[in-house]
């Protein structure tokens, strides 16, 4: 035992034990550092920062671009509709230049007849029902009729 005790207190043994303990601490700290170490390196963080700043810098111009493209598409659609309406009006004007079409429309819309002809007017049954409703309105006070007119005009706006 004296040899083991002497080895335990010898300088070489103590240095060897001290080196082993230090190596074990270094190894433990490296493994802890590697476990704690994030995958986000400085370059990756810089790249993420640059990408975020690019997105922020380009967000407003891209939004403006998209909204302006939508506005252009709307205006082009309105222009196309206006052109179609102009063509319809030109066709209508050309039809009204024809005397037979004008006479036909005058007879149909204004119920004109030529001398010697007999004019007939066909009454719509739905119109008779509507006139009966007007008769019911005559038996009510005038302010009720006014209020109903306001309600009807308000309902037609919606």
């Amino acid at each position: 035992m004296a040899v083991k005790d002497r080895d335990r207190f010898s300088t070489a043994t103590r240095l060897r034990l001290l080196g082993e303990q230090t190596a074990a601490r270094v190894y433990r700290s490296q493994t802890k550092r590697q476990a704690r170490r994030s995958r986000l390196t400085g370059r990756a963080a810089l790249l993420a920062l640059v990408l975020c700043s690019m997105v922020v810098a380009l967000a407003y111009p891209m939004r403006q671009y998209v909204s302006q493209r939508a506005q252009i598409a709307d205006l082009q659609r309105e222009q196309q509709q206006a052109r179609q309406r102009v063509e319809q009006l030109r066709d209508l004007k050309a039809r009204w230049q024809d005397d037979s079409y004008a006479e036909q429309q005058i007879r149909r819309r204004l119920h004109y007849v030529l001398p010697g002809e007999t004019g007939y007017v066909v009454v719509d049954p739905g119109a008779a029902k509507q006139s009966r409703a007007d008769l019911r309105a005559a038996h009510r006070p005038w302010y009720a009729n006014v209020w109903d007119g306001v309600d009807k005009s308000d309902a037609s706006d919606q």
Side-chain angles (χ1 to χ4, degrees), residues 123-136:
V123 178
D124 183 24
K129 290 178 185 175
Q130 186 178 12
S131 66
R132 288 186 201 130
D134 292 340
L135 289 175
R136 276 186 260 137

Side-chain angles (χ1 to χ4, degrees), residues 68-154:
Q68 287 175 1
R69 293 302 299 172
Q71 186 179 11
I72 288 171
D74 289 342
L75 291 174
Q76 286 174 342
R77 189 179 63 250
E78 287 178 14
Q79 182 182 23
Q80 183 63 28
Q81 290 173 351
R83 285 181 182 159
Q84 289 174 353
R85 180 69 179 145
V86 166
E87 287 298 318
Q88 290 173 353
L89 291 174
R90 283 184 183 155
D91 291 343
L92 185 62
K93 181 181 176 186
R95 276 192 252 148
W96 276 101
Q97 297 297 325
D98 184 20
D99 290 336
S100 62
Y101 179 79
E103 182 181 337
Q104 176 189 7
Q105 293 300 315
I106 290 170
R107 287 170 159 259
R108 190 181 63 118
R109 293 181 184 185
L110 301 177
H111 304 289
Y112 277 25
V113 292
L114 293 175
E117 292 180 350
T118 306
Y120 294 98
V121 177
V122 179
V123 178
D124 183 24
K129 290 178 185 175
Q130 186 178 12
S131 66
R132 288 186 201 130
D134 292 340
L135 289 175
R136 276 186 260 137
H139 296 294
R140 297 187 314 177
W142 66 270
Y143 51 85
N145 293 334
V146 170
W147 193 249
D148 284 344
V150 170
D151 286 340
K152 285 179 186 177
S153 68
D154 187 39

Side-chain angles (χ1 to χ4, degrees), residues 23-35:
R25 276 192 222 128
V26 168
Y27 179 72
R28 259 187 280 141
S29 69
Q30 284 179 349
T31 56
K32 285 181 184 176
R33 211 176 315 142
Q34 287 174 352

Side-chain angles (χ1 to χ4, degrees), residues 25-76:
R25 276 192 222 128
V26 168
Y27 179 72
R28 259 187 280 141
S29 69
Q30 284 179 349
T31 56
K32 285 181 184 176
R33 211 176 315 142
Q34 287 174 352
R36 277 186 308 203
R37 189 172 180 195
S38 173
R39 292 184 181 257
L40 184 66
T41 62
R43 287 182 181 174
L46 182 64
L47 179 64
L49 181 67
V50 168
L51 286 176
C52 288
S53 63
M54 294 276 291
V55 166
V56 168
L58 294 176
Y60 183 73
M62 286 303 293
R63 194 183 108 223
Q64 289 295 324
Y65 174 77
V66 169
S67 68
Q68 287 175 1
R69 293 302 299 172
Q71 186 179 11
I72 288 171
D74 289 342
L75 291 174
Q76 286 174 342

